[in-house]
Amino acid sequence: MVKLATAREARLYGPALTVRRWEYINAGAYVFGTLLLAAGLAAVCASSDRGVRAAGLVVAAAALVVVAAVNAHDLGAHLAGVDCRVGLVRFDPQLGLVELLVPALHTAGCVLAVVGVAFLLSQGDGRERHAADTMLAGALLWLLGSALNSCQVYERADGRAQLLQSSVQVPVLVGSLLFLVAAVLNRRRAREPVERWTMCLCGSVLWFVAALFNVAKVFMMHQSDAPRLEKLRGGAQEWLSRDREGRVPLVWRSAAPPTELR
């Protein structure tokens, strides 16, 4: 989550006149979601009352819905940034592995976690086992997405941009790892429930820290002295620019039959 942190220029979070506002809304919603998640898990850890714990789980599920919406917005923003030309991943693999796959994995992980919480709250026969399996799958997707999020290549971005990137990526990665460890222990019943929920709480706090750094990153990226951001690589930027003008580069036109990127 659980948040895409990228230094790409190709992103479009909203209409041209309000694009900055929507990117700030995206960052603010992630802060709210992670804070709500930490509050819900804190209630689960702090109380032994079943009603309070159920309320905490409901709050956590609502927070995950918010975070899923944020990541879906990230995915839409980067699709819009390349005019939904998914075929550009042939020229720039990082576009597919980071800007598109990472938010998709995080969104799917949040959906699975919400389903797992629903299983926990339903209290049916065998539901706890289903909840453990579903939450483990969600945590695996979070960790995979967070690992891919950290595997970015920089060519134009300066040290300040890379530092801002790392300030978001590292807490997200460590937090995702804590959630995965808690999910594994939960499935194997290896520790007391309070210890597993405490690990989840620590992971959510790290995600909240990442959310605060993400707000700072977005703010810095919109300043007049903003750090340099990354363009598409492998000729994808040129392809996109000329495609927007209705022209395809001659070298590609002669090398292969024209194909429409969809």
Side-chain angles (χ1 to χ4, degrees):
M1 193 167 86
V2 33
K3 182 71 177 74
L4 173 67
T6 180
R8 294 282 199 176
E9 286 183 353
R11 64 191 196 281
L12 190 62
Y13 278 90
L17 297 178
T18 58
V19 62
R20 291 191 180 186
R21 182 190 307 169
W22 277 105
E23 192 162 2
Y24 280 122
I25 290 173
N26 177 281
Y30 184 54
V31 172
F32 173 73
T34 53
L35 181 61
L36 198 64
L37 179 64
L41 293 176
V44 174
C45 294
S47 177
S48 58
D49 182 78
R50 178 171 294 182
V52 174
R53 294 174 71 114
L57 288 174
V58 171
V59 171
L64 290 171
V65 170
V66 173
V67 175
V70 167
N71 281 285
H73 189 204
D74 280 328
L75 177 60
H78 285 274
L79 281 172
V82 295
D83 297 341
C84 296
R85 305 294 187 183
V86 181
L88 291 175
V89 301
R90 292 180 297 170
F91 308 114
D92 187 352
Q94 182 175 307
L95 173 65
L97 292 175
V98 177
E99 279 79 19
L100 302 184
L101 184 57
V102 167
L105 289 173
H106 288 167
T107 302
C110 290
V111 171
L112 287 173
V114 171
V115 172
V117 171
F119 278 136
L120 280 179
L121 293 174
S122 62
Q123 298 179 352
D125 293 337
R127 294 296 176 89
E128 287 191 7
R129 183 70 175 183
H130 293 321
D133 291 340
T134 307
M135 288 182 173
L136 178 58
L140 281 170
L141 291 181
W142 285 340
L143 184 61
L144 177 58
S146 300
L148 288 174
N149 199 18
S150 302
C151 298
Q152 298 189 32
V153 178
Y154 301 102
E155 294 178 351
R156 300 179 68 248
D158 54 19
R160 184 170 47 145
Q162 295 183 39
L163 181 62
L164 290 170
Q165 287 286 96
S166 298
S167 68
V168 179
Q169 294 166 346
V170 173
V172 163
L173 180 61
V174 177
S176 299
L177 181 59
L178 285 175
F179 270 94
L180 179 61
V181 172
V184 171
L185 293 176
N186 181 53
R187 191 175 187 279
R188 300 180 64 178
R189 302 292 193 271
R191 295 290 183 91
E192 292 297 323
V194 65
E195 296 182 22
R196 301 194 293 264
W197 287 116
T198 301
M199 283 187 186
C200 293
L201 176 60
C202 292
S204 66
V205 170
L206 285 171
W207 283 347
F208 176 66
V209 171
L212 294 178
F213 280 120
N214 183 64
V215 172
K217 181 178 79 76
V218 171
F219 176 78
M220 293 293 295
M221 287 169 62
H222 287 298
Q223 298 308 300
S224 57
D225 60 341
R228 289 181 300 172
L229 301 179
E230 296 289 324
K231 294 183 178 293
L232 298 175
R233 303 186 186 91
Q237 187 68 49
E238 291 78 7
W239 209 109
L240 181 62
S241 299
R242 299 193 184 193
D243 185 60
R244 286 170 172 172
E245 297 172 2
R247 296 182 293 115
V248 177
L250 293 177
V251 62
W252 293 339
R253 184 176 295 173
S254 60
T259 57
E260 186 178 4
L261 290 175
R262 292 295 180 189

